[in-house]
Amino acid sequence: MALPEKYDGKSSDYRAWRTQRLKSAERSPGSAAQSITLTPELKHEQDPASLHKLCEIVREQGYALYQWSEQPENATTNVEQLHRAISLTQHDRGVVSDSASLSLLKDLSGTARGKYIPYTSQAMGWHTDGYYNDPKKTLRCFALHCIHPAATGGSLSLLDYELLLISLYDEDPDLVLLLSQNHCMKLPANKDDLGHDRPDRYASVFFNHADGSLGSRFTTRSKNISWISPDTRAAAERVNEIIASNSHWQHNIRLTAGQGVITRNILHRREAFSDDKKLPQRQMLRGRYLQTPQYAN
Ligand SMILES: [Fe+2]
């Protein structure tokens, strides 16, 4: 399906959007000017304005970084409270979860969950979360909150797919045409003893959400995808190269205890990490939602 005019690579609407997006890319959500401080229980009078700003940064730049003013007794409860406050209520836990809406990511190598890369200490390549999901359950947001960082490594890199789209148009508009075809990638069926059971699914790398905004599904784990044609496969390989060459638009963050990110499910990767037996394990709470964050007050 063709992308709407705003994302067509040539219309005046696209040119205006491109100019605006490149301007906002000059700011970094991780910078002091855009950092968001929140109280864990959201009881401070500044918190509503901070939540409003956080949602605006996510919409404009793909993600926002926040930090808590203090460490609460029960981080899970307060992270759930934060997510609810910004209208993240429809979660997609998958089959592995640790609370009503969150998963606790840590190195569980050697266990049943440790078959899945998020539950190991290994590096994870560029992807959007839930790229294999049913189209009716397209993820619009993933959020991470750090309870304990790793002893070494484990940083997160983020890249907004809106900037990737601009790069692809600048490089070769045919790449976008190939990657926005309906069903351009096949995500093979998966069934396992943890309860995953999904049929073959088809998706495109770039598509339009019902609200008119741009969406993306992608992974550099090429063994997880069959491409519709050799040209489409070649275009996907170019995407890998273009992501690597756009390091100026990548944001590298090593979350510390009490820090987190809220995103609109942009591209991201994780560096490998190692724990120190004398220190707490790396622990990250992850939420995945079918909505983008909104603050109504
Ligand atoms: Fe992820």
Side-chain angles (χ1 to χ4, degrees):
M1 193 174 69
L3 294 172
E5 234 172 68
K6 183 177 173 184
Y7 305 115
D8 72 356
K10 55 192 179 197
S11 66
S12 56
D13 277 5
Y14 171 75
R15 306 303 304 176
W17 172 77
R18 179 184 186 278
T19 302
Q20 185 65 34
R21 186 64 192 88
L22 293 181
K23 193 156 181 267
S24 61
E26 291 167 12
R27 304 191 300 272
S28 165
S31 68
Q34 294 203 87
S35 77
I36 308 277
T37 301
L38 298 167
T39 60
E41 295 186 339
L42 301 175
K43 283 188 173 162
H44 193 275
E45 61 179 17
Q46 281 298 320
D47 286 329
S50 299
L51 291 174
H52 182 77
K53 183 177 168 192
L54 181 146
C55 294
E56 195 176 276
I57 295 173
V58 175
R59 183 167 45 79
E60 285 181 3
Q61 296 176 71
Y63 80 98
L65 174 70
Y66 68 85
Q67 55 194 28
W68 278 347
S69 55
E70 59 194 89
Q71 299 299 337
E73 292 262 304
N74 186 339
T76 303
T77 303
N78 292 119
V79 171
E80 287 178 337
Q81 184 184 356
L82 166 62
H83 293 179
R84 275 197 309 274
I86 49 177
S87 312
L88 299 172
T89 53
Q90 286 182 278
H91 51 259
D92 176 23
R93 293 178 301 181
V95 293
V96 178
S97 67
D98 299 279
S99 78
S101 58
L102 302 172
S103 299
L104 180 62
L105 303 186
K106 58 182 178 179
D107 184 7
L108 294 172
S109 301
T111 70
R113 279 193 201 187
K115 286 197 301 189
Y116 291 90
I117 291 194
Y119 294 94
T120 69
S121 58
Q122 295 171 42
M124 295 168 67
W126 290 103
H127 65 282
T128 59
D129 272 15
Y131 58 86
Y132 40 74
N133 271 23
D134 184 320
K136 292 191 204 96
K137 286 197 160 188
T138 294
L139 294 182
R140 303 289 305 268
C141 170
F142 77 84
L144 289 171
H145 181 94
C146 176
I147 296 178
H148 293 295
T152 54
S155 68
L156 177 72
S157 302
L158 297 141
L159 170 64
D160 189 1
Y161 51 75
E162 290 184 352
L163 295 170
L164 176 63
L165 183 86
I166 290 170
S167 278
L168 293 175
Y169 274 131
D170 289 353
E171 171 91 11
D172 178 359
D174 284 347
L175 295 171
V176 180
L177 276 182
L178 287 163
L179 297 171
S180 52
Q181 295 171 94
N182 260 352
H183 296 183
C184 74
M185 54 182 175
K186 175 182 168 185
L187 307 156
N190 182 34
K191 188 168 185 172
D192 65 30
D193 50 13
L194 274 184
H196 293 94
D197 187 4
R198 63 169 192 261
D200 287 344
R201 290 202 174 122
Y202 298 85
S204 50
V205 175
F206 293 107
F207 57 90
N208 201 33
H209 288 297
D211 63 6
S213 60
L214 186 71
S216 181
R217 291 183 181 220
F218 191 67
T219 176
T220 51
R221 299 186 80 195
S222 51
K223 68 170 187 165
N224 291 3
I225 300 182
S226 315
W227 296 96
I228 198 171
S229 68
D231 283 353
T232 313
R233 169 179 285 278
E237 283 165 8
R238 281 295 293 138
V239 170
N240 295 346
E241 293 164 14
I242 288 169
I243 289 174
S245 67
N246 275 303
S247 56
H248 57 295
W249 281 335
Q250 297 172 15
H251 296 250
N252 298 311
I253 297 175
R254 191 160 185 278
L255 294 173
T256 56
Q259 282 190 323
V261 289
I262 308 285
T263 77
R264 54 173 157 69
N265 199 13
I266 58 175
L267 288 155
H268 56 290
R269 67 175 172 179
R270 181 182 78 186
E271 181 192 27
F273 65 88
S274 53
D275 289 321
D276 180 333
K277 286 195 173 67
K278 295 188 219 87
L279 298 171
Q281 264 194 305
R282 181 186 193 266
Q283 291 183 53
M284 298 278 164
L285 285 168
R286 182 190 66 191
R288 306 205 285 199
Y289 300 96
L290 309 188
Q291 303 129 311
T292 52
Q294 314 281 341
Y295 188 65
N297 283 20

